[in-house]
Amino acid sequence: MENAGGCVSPGVGRVGARHGCIGLSGGGGGYLNICTGSNFEEKNGAAKKIDPRLDELREMGMQRFWLSAAERFGVDWLLEFWRMADADIDVSQNGMVSMAFRPYRSYMRYQRNRYIEELVNRGIGPDEIRTLLRQQLGEEISKRHILRLVQKG
């Protein structure tokens, strides 16, 4: 029960009855002031520090792509990746690390084809598969192509 002074009087047999009148504090609620968008990557208001090794990589002539990767994933990640690539006999030859990546779209195509195989395994027909691919992936694939994938798999 609350009296006129904003004091809650515990009832008989209630937990905390021995404490007597408990005053209610006003206000409260809302979000804690610890992790806002402006200070998420900052500590004590100081701007996020740029790793000085980025400048070293830039000075030694590291390619722009790898500098961007180091900025995005961290210099430690890049150095570990570089060390691993350099140690691999298939990648490191004649004192140079050389890598060839397949286009990313080849990975996406592979995933799409696995999806088609899964739909076929569920008993879904080519026409419905075409509709699902159009709706879910925004891809237009011929019925003939789907049948080829089914026969291949």
Side-chain angles (χ1 to χ4, degrees):
M1 294 181 144
E2 184 175 310
N3 64 23
C7 182
V8 176
S9 301
V12 177
R14 291 174 115 181
V15 174
R18 67 181 178 272
H19 295 292
C21 184
I22 303 170
L24 297 177
S25 62
Y31 292 101
L32 296 176
N33 193 17
I34 58 170
C35 194
T36 63
S38 64
N39 70 1
F40 182 70
E41 292 186 348
E42 301 172 0
K43 189 172 186 173
N44 299 329
K48 184 179 175 183
K49 294 187 177 163
I50 296 174
D51 193 321
R53 295 175 295 176
L54 280 171
D55 289 332
E56 295 173 351
L57 293 171
R58 208 172 276 114
E59 286 173 17
M60 64 179 283
M62 180 69 68
Q63 295 165 325
R64 186 172 36 92
F65 172 82
W66 295 111
L67 291 171
S68 295
E71 288 174 355
R72 183 170 186 167
F73 304 114
V75 175
D76 289 325
W77 173 87
L78 177 68
L79 294 175
E80 180 61 22
F81 181 85
W82 190 4
R83 187 192 64 73
M84 185 178 76
D86 188 47
D88 189 301
I89 194 161
D90 293 330
V91 175
S92 181
Q93 297 174 1
N94 301 324
M96 291 296 291
V97 176
S98 176
M99 293 184 290
F101 279 95
R102 293 180 65 170
Y104 186 74
R105 69 179 179 275
S106 68
Y107 174 74
M108 296 305 292
R109 185 174 51 244
Y110 176 84
Q111 292 299 322
R112 181 206 60 209
N113 292 347
R114 299 300 73 77
Y115 179 56
I116 291 171
E117 288 173 8
E118 177 60 29
L119 293 174
V120 168
N121 290 337
R122 291 183 185 178
I124 298 174
D127 290 327
E128 191 174 349
I129 289 174
R130 286 187 71 212
T131 302
L132 288 170
L133 291 173
R134 189 178 315 113
Q135 291 172 344
Q136 296 174 353
L137 304 179
E139 290 194 35
E140 192 66 44
I141 297 177
S142 70
K143 185 175 179 178
R144 185 171 159 235
H145 184 71
I146 292 171
L147 292 173
R148 268 198 321 261
L149 289 171
V150 170
Q151 291 170 356
K152 184 180 174 182

